[in-house]
Amino acid sequence: RASFEELGPTFVKLGQLLSTRTDLLHEELTSDLVKLQDNVQSLSFDVVQKVIETELKRDLKTAFQRVDREPLASASIAQVHSAELYTGEKVVIKVQRPDIKKTIETDISLLNFLAKLLERYVPESRMIQPSIIVDEFFRTLSLELDFLVEANNITKMAQNFEDFEGIVIPAVFS
């Protein structure tokens, strides 16, 4: 787990994926990798504030009545902070790590190179098609990086479940 964290966000995501594969890995390993789900080193609040202000194109104090300095959770791509709007509504702000897209693209290039080497020099690996796995992993990560896709999915889910009592989908504030 520590090695995945040291290698960075792409490998943390890979560790998260592997943590669900109890059919492939020993339980002791998967139980350690599960800690990568939402317990990754958090960004400093100064970095978080700069990201929010850059995205909103305004000062944090004019956008929110309050923003908690400590994150609720920190993961490989983003972390979340509790906040309150001036209307009194309690919200959660999801903040993407700076330069995460470039980092992931670099890491995926390395994984792709390693997958091709594996396919070339370890014939047994061809059966699991490492290059295809890396490509699919990259496609999934690319979608996860696009918070507009996530916002649209949440909005669509809210519409789909609006008639179901007891199911609450959070509102999205663009």
Side-chain angles (χ1 to χ4, degrees):
R1 178 187 50 83
S3 295
F4 279 104
E5 283 184 293
E6 273 187 50
L7 288 169
T10 308
F11 294 90
V12 169
K13 289 306 288 181
L14 183 58
Q16 290 171 347
L17 176 68
L18 291 173
S19 77
T20 66
R21 298 305 309 263
T22 54
D23 58 325
L24 296 176
L25 302 173
H26 191 275
E27 184 182 339
E28 187 178 315
L29 183 56
T30 57
S31 65
D32 196 33
L33 290 174
V34 126
K35 296 173 186 167
L36 295 172
Q37 296 293 344
D38 62 2
N39 194 18
V40 176
Q41 180 68 38
S42 61
L43 297 168
S44 73
F45 189 74
D46 291 339
V47 171
V48 168
Q49 182 172 350
K50 185 176 180 183
V51 169
I52 294 170
E53 289 176 346
T54 300
E55 288 297 315
L56 296 179
K57 295 176 181 55
R58 59 197 262 203
D59 187 71
L60 194 66
K61 291 181 189 329
T62 64
F64 300 95
Q65 183 170 315
R66 174 191 55 77
V67 176
D68 289 349
R69 295 181 70 82
E70 289 299 313
L72 290 171
S74 182
S76 57
I77 290 177
Q79 67 187 46
V80 291
H81 289 261
S82 291
E84 188 175 333
L85 301 177
Y86 281 102
T87 61
E89 291 172 283
K90 295 191 183 340
V91 296
V92 173
I93 306 168
K94 188 170 184 178
V95 181
Q96 195 169 97
R97 293 177 179 275
D99 300 320
I100 189 72
K101 186 175 183 179
K102 182 179 177 187
T103 300
I104 287 175
E105 287 171 350
T106 301
D107 291 346
I108 291 294
S109 292
L110 174 63
L111 285 173
N112 214 2
F113 174 74
L114 293 173
K116 288 185 187 329
L117 282 178
L118 194 62
E119 289 170 350
R120 184 173 183 176
Y121 295 109
V122 183
E124 298 84 8
S125 72
R126 293 180 196 141
M127 189 170 92
I128 60 168
Q129 301 176 309
S131 293
I132 291 174
I133 293 170
V134 171
D135 289 343
E136 185 60 31
F137 184 54
F138 180 64
R139 270 194 296 284
T140 302
L141 278 177
S142 295
L143 286 173
E144 212 171 312
L145 286 171
D146 190 340
F147 286 180
L148 291 176
V149 169
E150 182 176 8
N152 289 335
N153 288 340
I154 292 170
T155 301
K156 189 68 165 172
M157 279 181 52
Q159 292 169 351
N160 290 341
F161 286 98
E162 66 188 356
D163 296 332
F164 290 82
E165 194 173 315
I167 296 178
V168 178
I169 308 294
V172 174
F173 293 82
S174 297

Short mmCIF file of all heavy atoms in Angstrom, two decimals, residues 53-93:
data_model
loop_
_atom_site.label_atom_id
_atom_site.label_comp_id
_atom_site.label_asym_id
_atom_site.label_seq_id
_atom_site.Cartn_x
_atom_site.Cartn_y
_atom_site.Cartn_z
N GLU A 53 -10.47 28.89 -5.64
CA GLU A 53 -10.54 30.28 -6.10
C GLU A 53 -10.25 30.39 -7.60
O GLU A 53 -10.88 31.19 -8.30
CB GLU A 53 -9.56 31.15 -5.29
CG GLU A 53 -10.03 31.34 -3.87
CD GLU A 53 -9.07 32.12 -2.98
OE1 GLU A 53 -7.89 32.31 -3.37
OE2 GLU A 53 -9.50 32.56 -1.90
N THR A 54 -9.34 29.59 -8.10
CA THR A 54 -9.04 29.60 -9.53
C THR A 54 -10.25 29.12 -10.33
O THR A 54 -10.62 29.73 -11.34
CB THR A 54 -7.81 28.71 -9.84
OG1 THR A 54 -6.69 29.22 -9.12
CG2 THR A 54 -7.51 28.68 -11.32
N GLU A 55 -10.87 28.03 -9.87
CA GLU A 55 -12.03 27.48 -10.58
C GLU A 55 -13.23 28.41 -10.53
O GLU A 55 -13.93 28.57 -11.52
CB GLU A 55 -12.41 26.11 -9.99
CG GLU A 55 -11.44 25.00 -10.34
CD GLU A 55 -11.38 24.71 -11.83
OE1 GLU A 55 -12.44 24.62 -12.48
OE2 GLU A 55 -10.26 24.58 -12.35
N LEU A 56 -13.49 29.00 -9.36
CA LEU A 56 -14.66 29.88 -9.21
C LEU A 56 -14.40 31.30 -9.68
O LEU A 56 -15.32 32.10 -9.79
CB LEU A 56 -15.13 29.89 -7.75
CG LEU A 56 -15.64 28.57 -7.20
CD1 LEU A 56 -16.06 28.73 -5.73
CD2 LEU A 56 -16.79 28.03 -8.03
N LYS A 57 -13.11 31.61 -9.90
CA LYS A 57 -12.71 32.96 -10.32
C LYS A 57 -13.19 34.02 -9.32
O LYS A 57 -13.64 35.10 -9.70
CB LYS A 57 -13.21 33.28 -11.73
CG LYS A 57 -12.59 32.39 -12.78
CD LYS A 57 -13.18 32.67 -14.16
CE LYS A 57 -12.62 31.81 -15.23
NZ LYS A 57 -12.66 30.40 -15.07
N ARG A 58 -13.10 33.65 -8.03
CA ARG A 58 -13.44 34.59 -6.96
C ARG A 58 -12.84 34.12 -5.65
O ARG A 58 -12.45 32.98 -5.50
CB ARG A 58 -14.95 34.79 -6.86
CG ARG A 58 -15.72 33.52 -6.59
CD ARG A 58 -17.18 33.70 -6.89
NE ARG A 58 -17.94 33.98 -5.69
CZ ARG A 58 -19.23 33.74 -5.57
NH1 ARG A 58 -19.91 33.28 -6.59
NH2 ARG A 58 -19.86 34.01 -4.47
N ASP A 59 -12.79 35.04 -4.71
CA ASP A 59 -12.22 34.77 -3.41
C ASP A 59 -13.08 33.76 -2.65
O ASP A 59 -14.31 33.79 -2.73
CB ASP A 59 -12.14 36.10 -2.63
CG ASP A 59 -11.40 35.96 -1.33
OD1 ASP A 59 -10.17 35.78 -1.38
OD2 ASP A 59 -12.06 36.02 -0.28
N LEU A 60 -12.43 32.89 -1.89
CA LEU A 60 -13.13 31.85 -1.12
C LEU A 60 -14.15 32.47 -0.16
O LEU A 60 -15.26 31.96 -0.02
CB LEU A 60 -12.10 31.02 -0.34
CG LEU A 60 -12.56 29.72 0.26
CD1 LEU A 60 -12.94 28.72 -0.83
CD2 LEU A 60 -11.48 29.13 1.14
N LYS A 61 -13.79 33.57 0.46
CA LYS A 61 -14.67 34.22 1.44
C LYS A 61 -15.92 34.82 0.80
O LYS A 61 -16.93 34.99 1.48
CB LYS A 61 -13.90 35.30 2.21
CG LYS A 61 -12.84 34.72 3.13
CD LYS A 61 -12.15 35.84 3.88
CE LYS A 61 -10.95 35.50 4.67
NZ LYS A 61 -10.74 34.28 5.28
N THR A 62 -15.86 35.14 -0.48
CA THR A 62 -17.07 35.66 -1.15
C THR A 62 -17.95 34.53 -1.68
O THR A 62 -19.14 34.72 -1.90
CB THR A 62 -16.71 36.61 -2.32
OG1 THR A 62 -16.03 35.88 -3.32
CG2 THR A 62 -15.88 37.79 -1.84
N ALA A 63 -17.37 33.36 -1.86
CA ALA A 63 -18.14 32.22 -2.38
C ALA A 63 -18.82 31.41 -1.28
O ALA A 63 -19.91 30.87 -1.48
CB ALA A 63 -17.22 31.32 -3.20
N PHE A 64 -18.16 31.32 -0.13
CA PHE A 64 -18.67 30.47 0.96
C PHE A 64 -18.63 31.21 2.28
O PHE A 64 -17.69 31.94 2.57
CB PHE A 64 -17.82 29.19 1.08
CG PHE A 64 -17.81 28.35 -0.16
CD1 PHE A 64 -16.79 28.48 -1.09
CD2 PHE A 64 -18.83 27.45 -0.42
CE1 PHE A 64 -16.78 27.71 -2.25
CE2 PHE A 64 -18.84 26.69 -1.58
CZ PHE A 64 -17.81 26.82 -2.49
N GLN A 65 -19.63 30.94 3.09
CA GLN A 65 -19.65 31.49 4.45
C GLN A 65 -18.58 30.80 5.29
O GLN A 65 -17.93 31.42 6.12
CB GLN A 65 -21.03 31.29 5.08
CG GLN A 65 -21.16 31.90 6.46
CD GLN A 65 -22.59 31.88 6.93
OE1 GLN A 65 -23.50 32.23 6.18
NE2 GLN A 65 -22.80 31.47 8.16
N ARG A 66 -18.42 29.49 5.04
CA ARG A 66 -17.46 28.71 5.80
C ARG A 66 -16.97 27.54 4.95
O ARG A 66 -17.74 26.94 4.22
CB ARG A 66 -18.14 28.16 7.06
CG ARG A 66 -17.31 27.20 7.87
CD ARG A 66 -18.13 26.49 8.97
NE ARG A 66 -19.32 25.79 8.49
CZ ARG A 66 -19.31 24.61 7.87
NH1 ARG A 66 -18.17 24.01 7.60
NH2 ARG A 66 -20.43 24.04 7.48
N VAL A 67 -15.68 27.24 5.05
CA VAL A 67 -15.10 26.04 4.44
C VAL A 67 -14.20 25.40 5.50
O VAL A 67 -13.31 26.06 6.05
CB VAL A 67 -14.26 26.35 3.18
CG1 VAL A 67 -13.61 25.09 2.63
CG2 VAL A 67 -15.10 27.03 2.11
N ASP A 68 -14.46 24.13 5.81
CA ASP A 68 -13.63 23.43 6.79
C ASP A 68 -12.24 23.20 6.21
O ASP A 68 -12.10 22.74 5.08
CB ASP A 68 -14.25 22.09 7.18
CG ASP A 68 -15.51 22.26 8.02
OD1 ASP A 68 -15.79 23.39 8.48
OD2 ASP A 68 -16.21 21.25 8.22
N ARG A 69 -11.24 23.51 7.00
CA ARG A 69 -9.85 23.36 6.56
C ARG A 69 -9.45 21.89 6.47
O ARG A 69 -8.63 21.52 5.64
CB ARG A 69 -8.91 24.10 7.52
CG ARG A 69 -9.12 25.61 7.48
CD ARG A 69 -8.16 26.33 8.41
NE ARG A 69 -6.79 26.30 7.95
CZ ARG A 69 -6.26 27.11 7.05
NH1 ARG A 69 -7.00 28.04 6.49
NH2 ARG A 69 -4.99 27.00 6.70
N GLU A 70 -10.01 21.05 7.33
CA GLU A 70 -9.70 19.61 7.32
C GLU A 70 -10.64 18.90 6.36
O GLU A 70 -11.86 19.08 6.44
CB GLU A 70 -9.86 19.02 8.73
CG GLU A 70 -8.79 19.46 9.71
CD GLU A 70 -7.40 19.05 9.28
OE1 GLU A 70 -7.20 17.87 8.89
OE2 GLU A 70 -6.49 19.90 9.32
N PRO A 71 -10.12 18.07 5.47
CA PRO A 71 -10.99 17.37 4.52
C PRO A 71 -11.82 16.27 5.21
O PRO A 71 -11.38 15.69 6.21
CB PRO A 71 -10.00 16.76 3.52
CG PRO A 71 -8.72 16.64 4.27
CD PRO A 71 -8.70 17.76 5.27
N LEU A 72 -13.00 16.02 4.65
CA LEU A 72 -13.80 14.89 5.10
C LEU A 72 -13.14 13.59 4.68
O LEU A 72 -13.15 12.60 5.39
CB LEU A 72 -15.20 14.95 4.49
CG LEU A 72 -16.13 16.05 4.98
CD1 LEU A 72 -17.38 16.10 4.12
CD2 LEU A 72 -16.48 15.83 6.43
N ALA A 73 -12.58 13.60 3.48
CA ALA A 73 -11.89 12.44 2.93
C ALA A 73 -10.90 12.92 1.87
O ALA A 73 -11.09 13.98 1.27
CB ALA A 73 -12.88 11.46 2.32
N SER A 74 -9.88 12.11 1.66
CA SER A 74 -8.88 12.43 0.66
C SER A 74 -8.59 11.16 -0.12
O SER A 74 -8.30 10.12 0.47
CB SER A 74 -7.62 12.95 1.35
OG SER A 74 -6.65 13.30 0.40
N ALA A 75 -8.67 11.25 -1.43
CA ALA A 75 -8.44 10.08 -2.28
C ALA A 75 -7.44 10.44 -3.37
O ALA A 75 -6.85 11.52 -3.37
CB ALA A 75 -9.76 9.59 -2.86
N SER A 76 -7.27 9.56 -4.32
CA SER A 76 -6.21 9.70 -5.31
C SER A 76 -6.41 10.88 -6.27
O SER A 76 -5.46 11.52 -6.67
CB SER A 76 -6.08 8.42 -6.12
OG SER A 76 -7.30 8.11 -6.73
N ILE A 77 -7.64 11.16 -6.62
CA ILE A 77 -7.91 12.20 -7.61
C ILE A 77 -8.38 13.50 -6.97
O ILE A 77 -8.11 14.59 -7.47
CB ILE A 77 -8.95 11.69 -8.63
CG1 ILE A 77 -8.29 10.61 -9.49
CG2 ILE A 77 -9.51 12.81 -9.49
CD1 ILE A 77 -9.21 9.96 -10.49
N ALA A 78 -9.06 13.40 -5.86
CA ALA A 78 -9.64 14.59 -5.24
C ALA A 78 -9.80 14.39 -3.74
O ALA A 78 -9.61 13.30 -3.22
CB ALA A 78 -11.00 14.87 -5.88
N GLN A 79 -10.16 15.48 -3.09
CA GLN A 79 -10.55 15.41 -1.70
C GLN A 79 -11.78 16.29 -1.51
O GLN A 79 -12.07 17.13 -2.36
CB GLN A 79 -9.41 15.80 -0.76
CG GLN A 79 -8.97 17.22 -0.80
CD GLN A 79 -7.72 17.43 0.05
OE1 GLN A 79 -6.77 16.65 -0.01
NE2 GLN A 79 -7.72 18.48 0.86
N VAL A 80 -12.49 16.05 -0.41
CA VAL A 80 -13.74 16.78 -0.19
C VAL A 80 -13.68 17.52 1.15
O VAL A 80 -13.12 17.02 2.12
CB VAL A 80 -14.98 15.86 -0.25
CG1 VAL A 80 -15.21 15.37 -1.67
CG2 VAL A 80 -14.86 14.69 0.70
N HIS A 81 -14.29 18.71 1.13
CA HIS A 81 -14.35 19.56 2.31
C HIS A 81 -15.80 19.98 2.56
O HIS A 81 -16.52 20.32 1.61
CB HIS A 81 -13.52 20.83 2.10
CG HIS A 81 -12.05 20.58 2.09
ND1 HIS A 81 -11.26 20.81 3.19
CD2 HIS A 81 -11.23 20.10 1.13
CE1 HIS A 81 -10.01 20.48 2.89
NE2 HIS A 81 -9.98 20.06 1.63
N SER A 82 -16.20 19.99 3.83
CA SER A 82 -17.50 20.53 4.20
C SER A 82 -17.44 22.05 4.09
O SER A 82 -16.41 22.67 4.35
CB SER A 82 -17.85 20.19 5.65
OG SER A 82 -18.09 18.82 5.79
N ALA A 83 -18.58 22.62 3.71
CA ALA A 83 -18.66 24.07 3.59
C ALA A 83 -20.11 24.50 3.80
O ALA A 83 -21.02 23.66 3.88
CB ALA A 83 -18.16 24.53 2.22
N GLU A 84 -20.29 25.80 3.87
CA GLU A 84 -21.64 26.35 4.00
C GLU A 84 -21.75 27.57 3.09
O GLU A 84 -20.85 28.42 3.05
CB GLU A 84 -21.90 26.75 5.45
CG GLU A 84 -23.32 27.17 5.71
CD GLU A 84 -23.58 27.44 7.19
OE1 GLU A 84 -22.88 26.85 8.04
OE2 GLU A 84 -24.46 28.25 7.48
N LEU A 85 -22.84 27.61 2.34
CA LEU A 85 -23.10 28.75 1.47
C LEU A 85 -23.67 29.90 2.30
O LEU A 85 -24.15 29.70 3.42
CB LEU A 85 -24.09 28.36 0.37
CG LEU A 85 -23.68 27.21 -0.55
CD1 LEU A 85 -24.81 26.90 -1.54
CD2 LEU A 85 -22.40 27.55 -1.29
N TYR A 86 -23.71 31.09 1.74
CA TYR A 86 -24.28 32.23 2.43
C TYR A 86 -25.80 32.10 2.61
O TYR A 86 -26.39 32.76 3.43
CB TYR A 86 -23.91 33.54 1.72
CG TYR A 86 -22.51 33.97 2.07
CD1 TYR A 86 -21.46 33.76 1.18
CD2 TYR A 86 -22.22 34.54 3.30
CE1 TYR A 86 -20.17 34.11 1.51
CE2 TYR A 86 -20.93 34.91 3.64
CZ TYR A 86 -19.90 34.69 2.74
OH TYR A 86 -18.62 35.05 3.08
N THR A 87 -26.41 31.18 1.86
CA THR A 87 -27.84 30.90 2.02
C THR A 87 -28.10 30.00 3.22
O THR A 87 -29.26 29.75 3.56
CB THR A 87 -28.39 30.18 0.76
OG1 THR A 87 -27.69 28.95 0.61
CG2 THR A 87 -28.24 31.04 -0.48
N GLY A 88 -27.03 29.50 3.84
CA GLY A 88 -27.16 28.60 4.98
C GLY A 88 -27.12 27.13 4.58
O GLY A 88 -27.08 26.25 5.45
N GLU A 89 -27.13 26.85 3.27
CA GLU A 89 -27.08 25.46 2.82
C GLU A 89 -25.72 24.86 3.10
O GLU A 89 -24.69 25.48 2.83
CB GLU A 89 -27.36 25.37 1.31
CG GLU A 89 -28.79 25.70 0.95
CD GLU A 89 -28.98 25.79 -0.55
OE1 GLU A 89 -28.57 26.82 -1.12
OE2 GLU A 89 -29.50 24.81 -1.13
N LYS A 90 -25.74 23.65 3.66
CA LYS A 90 -24.49 22.92 3.90
C LYS A 90 -24.16 22.14 2.63
O LYS A 90 -25.02 21.49 2.05
CB LYS A 90 -24.66 22.00 5.09
CG LYS A 90 -24.88 22.79 6.38
CD LYS A 90 -24.78 21.93 7.59
CE LYS A 90 -25.07 22.64 8.89
NZ LYS A 90 -24.97 24.04 8.97
N VAL A 91 -22.91 22.25 2.20
CA VAL A 91 -22.47 21.62 0.95
C VAL A 91 -21.14 20.90 1.18
O VAL A 91 -20.50 21.06 2.22
CB VAL A 91 -22.30 22.66 -0.19
CG1 VAL A 91 -23.63 23.31 -0.54
CG2 VAL A 91 -21.26 23.72 0.17
N VAL A 92 -20.75 20.13 0.19
CA VAL A 92 -19.45 19.49 0.17
C VAL A 92 -18.76 19.93 -1.12
O VAL A 92 -19.36 19.91 -2.18
CB VAL A 92 -19.58 17.95 0.22
CG1 VAL A 92 -18.23 17.28 0.03
CG2 VAL A 92 -20.22 17.51 1.52
N ILE A 93 -17.52 20.36 -1.00
CA ILE A 93 -16.75 20.80 -2.16
C ILE A 93 -15.76 19.69 -2.51
O ILE A 93 -14.99 19.24 -1.67
CB ILE A 93 -15.94 22.07 -1.84
CG1 ILE A 93 -16.84 23.17 -1.29
CG2 ILE A 93 -15.20 22.56 -3.08
CD1 ILE A 93 -16.06 24.34 -0.69
#
